[in-house]
Amino acid sequence: MYEFLDRLISISLPRVRDFRGVSATGFDGQGNYTLGLKEQIIFPEINYDKIDKTRGMGISIITTAQTNEEGKELLTQLGMPFRK
């Protein structure tokens, strides 16, 4: 889980075209964060030659935080690049 989150933050998200950070509005009110991706090809593990169709995905990050502010601070400390 931590390895996936680290690779998502440090490798995959910066590969998104015109990336300026993720939205801070993806919190659910209890400190959990959901993020949508339009293309799975931002992950370097994906072999482009084997893709028949571009697909998106939803990623939910469930935390032990009680509020959105605590969840955002936790993800910020882990390196999540929120928009300013």
Side-chain angles (χ1 to χ4, degrees):
M1 171 186 69
Y2 291 113
E3 184 178 331
F4 173 78
L5 186 61
D6 182 48
R7 285 194 332 244
L8 175 70
I9 292 169
S10 61
I11 298 171
S12 299
L13 286 178
R15 292 177 62 151
V16 174
R17 187 178 321 150
D18 297 328
F19 182 70
R20 294 187 182 111
V22 294
S23 173
T25 61
F27 287 96
D28 66 353
Q30 298 176 347
N32 304 315
Y33 185 73
T34 301
L35 155 76
L37 299 176
K38 293 183 180 180
E39 301 176 335
Q40 82 273 28
I41 58 174
I42 66 168
F43 293 97
E45 297 87 2
I46 303 292
N47 186 348
Y48 298 118
D49 299 330
K50 294 186 178 183
I51 295 176
D52 60 339
K53 180 180 176 185
T54 302
R55 293 178 175 86
M57 68 177 69
I59 299 172
S60 294
I61 302 169
I62 310 303
T63 69
T64 57
Q66 300 297 316
T67 65
N68 289 349
E69 292 78 23
E70 290 176 5
K72 184 175 180 184
E73 182 61 29
L74 173 64
L75 292 177
T76 300
Q77 293 297 320
L78 289 171
M80 183 67 78
F82 290 106
R83 288 186 205 134
K84 301 288 183 201

